[in-house]
Amino acid sequence: MEKGEAMETLETWKEELRRQLVEKAEWNLKEENIRFYEDGFQAGDDREEQELIRSTNIRYYKIESDVLKGNYLVLFLQKQESQMKTVCRFSLDYLFALYQKDGWERVWKEIQENITMSNRADRAGVLEQMHAYETAEEHLMIRPLNFTDNRYDLKESVYRQIGDMALVLYIKISDDKEQGLMTAKLPRHVFEEWGQNFDTVWENAMLNTYSMAQPRMYMTPHETTNPPYSKGAFMALGSSMQKIWHSQVPTVTTTRQTNGAIAMFYPGVRERIAEMTGGSYYVAFTSIHEARIHCEGSMSPRQILRSLKDVNHAFDKSEILSRKVYFYDAKKKTFEAMEL
């Protein structure tokens, strides 16, 4: 069938796509391996689908929501040599546009390239394949470290410095229940080999990190102990969290909490906090895992610094992210370390 011929709507084309995918012997797809998700879909209690919807919304629309935006094809590829599944996700609207312009062969080429990249990473391991940006890009993430304490170790790394902190580019090696999250700093020479625009790589890695660990704000220390997923979702669509009072000192972290201070650098987070505080505010990074918010005028920055010094003194050096108090100026939209 030629391009566009008798395929008038996305809905009718989608069913033809399903039929032809099952017939593609080289991909060994069965009906249960092929799922279509429509705009507005909600996952209910299925954790796998919940994570899929959340990561899709963050990656494609930069929003946190449990309601899917857009139409998607998802292929679940079972590895014959293991119990692992590879998940390949495609925008249906994009595939349909490719079909209308160039026919089925262009659609198959797009799907095959995605499957091939996934298989390469699975077979050889992420570290062995990281020299190819197309394979590595979905595994990139960003972690916060103290720049001063790690200055020597960061010489061959890729990072952005903010005051006395460094946001460092890592590559995710694995992430499972048995071993947890395993990462490695991305070597600078590998980044240079890619020949990619720094800002593009950085934005992609930040979105990956956001997708893995969504931002959370807890109003009391008690709330940080085993909170449900929806607790503290101040950046989510329709969040009921609207106001930070001067007497409150909320904690900003992520759903994972480990390395959760990175949440302060997610797109839109600092601006949203300014809306909630009603203006400018101070930030004390009490560890690599969290930050504390103080409304301007609620406490002097010197008092905040004294408290921060006490916290840093009580914990291991590897947990320290900053020894400075930061100030977000709501009018200038700047975020800088204070010299106190």
Side-chain angles (χ1 to χ4, degrees):
M1 193 175 294
E2 296 301 321
K3 61 182 179 182
E5 186 179 312
M7 293 295 164
E8 298 178 354
T9 68
L10 177 63
E11 195 61 32
T12 56
W13 179 80
K14 183 175 73 174
E15 293 311 310
E16 180 65 13
L17 174 63
R18 183 198 300 272
R19 185 186 69 78
Q20 293 203 37
L21 282 170
V22 172
E23 291 178 355
K24 287 276 185 183
E26 64 268 33
W27 293 337
N28 193 31
L29 291 168
K30 297 180 174 60
E31 287 282 348
E32 58 265 28
N33 302 127
I34 304 167
R35 296 186 201 171
F36 293 104
Y37 294 93
E38 296 183 352
D39 184 71
F41 178 83
Q42 292 181 270
D45 295 328
D46 189 310
R47 179 169 293 183
E48 184 180 71
E49 289 188 330
Q50 287 175 351
E51 293 178 355
L52 178 68
I53 289 169
R54 291 163 185 164
S55 65
T56 300
N57 285 334
I58 290 169
R59 171 161 291 280
Y60 288 89
Y61 301 98
K62 300 181 183 178
I63 61 170
E64 183 182 344
S65 175
D66 287 342
V67 180
L68 182 66
K69 288 179 65 67
N71 302 295
Y72 292 88
L73 161 68
V74 180
L75 304 180
F76 297 87
L77 307 175
Q78 183 71 49
K79 300 299 176 187
Q80 295 181 354
E81 65 276 12
S82 71
Q83 297 300 309
M84 293 179 61
K85 285 183 180 178
T86 294
V87 179
C88 296
R89 173 182 52 197
F90 307 87
S91 165
L92 265 180
D93 298 302
Y94 176 65
L95 290 181
F96 187 41
L98 288 181
Y99 166 76
Q100 289 181 312
K101 183 176 184 293
D102 297 316
W104 283 113
E105 287 308 311
R106 182 66 183 87
V107 173
W108 304 141
K109 184 174 184 290
E110 182 73 18
I111 293 175
Q112 183 61 66
E113 287 176 351
N114 195 299
I115 291 174
T116 299
M117 284 189 292
S118 297
N119 285 341
R120 282 176 183 167
D122 288 342
R123 280 199 307 270
V126 177
L127 288 180
E128 289 81 355
Q129 289 294 321
M130 68 180 175
H131 292 269
Y133 178 67
E134 293 77 11
T135 302
E137 63 177 326
E138 290 192 6
H139 301 276
L140 298 176
M141 57 179 293
I142 299 171
R143 294 177 59 180
L145 293 174
N146 180 267
F147 175 76
T148 307
D149 295 344
N150 296 279
R151 184 191 299 264
Y152 179 79
D153 292 337
L154 291 173
K155 284 185 177 181
E156 300 302 321
S157 300
V158 181
Y159 62 91
R160 272 184 167 155
Q161 185 179 349
I162 299 177
D164 66 338
M165 300 179 292
L167 306 184
V168 186
L169 193 60
Y170 278 74
I171 190 160
K172 180 177 68 175
I173 301 170
S174 65
D175 187 11
D176 54 48
K177 292 180 180 179
E178 288 73 26
Q179 296 183 336
L181 179 64
M182 295 180 64
T183 63
K185 294 185 185 73
L186 184 80
R188 179 175 293 277
H189 70 87
V190 172
F191 171 79
E192 292 171 350
E193 285 176 17
W194 290 344
Q196 298 288 325
N197 177 271
F198 180 88
D199 290 338
T200 300
V201 173
W202 193 262
E203 181 180 8
N204 177 64
M206 190 64 81
L207 286 174
N208 287 347
T209 312
Y210 197 136
S211 180
M212 289 172 50
Q214 294 79 44
R216 288 295 180 264
M217 179 183 291
Y218 302 117
M219 292 303 181
T220 67
H222 175 72
E223 291 181 357
T224 64
T225 305
N226 298 319
Y229 174 82
S230 59
K231 186 71 173 179
F234 71 107
M235 292 292 290
L237 285 178
S239 172
S240 61
M241 301 179 70
Q242 299 296 321
K243 180 72 175 176
I244 299 174
W245 302 99
H246 272 218
S247 58
Q248 294 177 310
V249 183
T251 298
V252 174
T253 182
T254 66
T255 48
R256 287 179 177 249
Q257 296 194 27
T258 301
N259 299 306
I262 193 62
M264 285 300 303
F265 304 96
Y266 286 166
V269 163
R270 294 196 294 266
E271 293 81 1
R272 174 64 182 137
I273 295 174
E275 293 175 1
M276 296 174 72
T277 59
S280 303
Y281 55 90
Y282 302 106
V283 180
F285 291 94
T286 47
S287 75
I288 58 175
H289 308 301
E290 63 184 28
R292 300 285 172 84
I293 307 300
H294 298 264
C295 297
E296 185 179 23
S298 64
M299 182 183 293
S300 78
R302 290 190 179 278
Q303 285 179 293
I304 299 171
L305 181 60
R306 282 197 293 270
S307 297
L308 177 62
K309 287 180 177 180
D310 290 340
V311 171
N312 284 341
H313 182 72
F315 290 95
D316 188 270
K317 190 176 180 180
S318 64
E319 299 283 297
I320 296 174
L321 178 56
S322 176
R323 297 178 176 86
K324 294 179 179 292
V325 174
Y326 286 74
F327 181 67
Y328 181 80
D329 190 312
K331 291 182 179 178
K332 297 179 181 178
K333 297 188 184 302
T334 56
F335 184 69
E336 297 175 338
M338 302 186 72
E339 297 301 328
L340 299 171

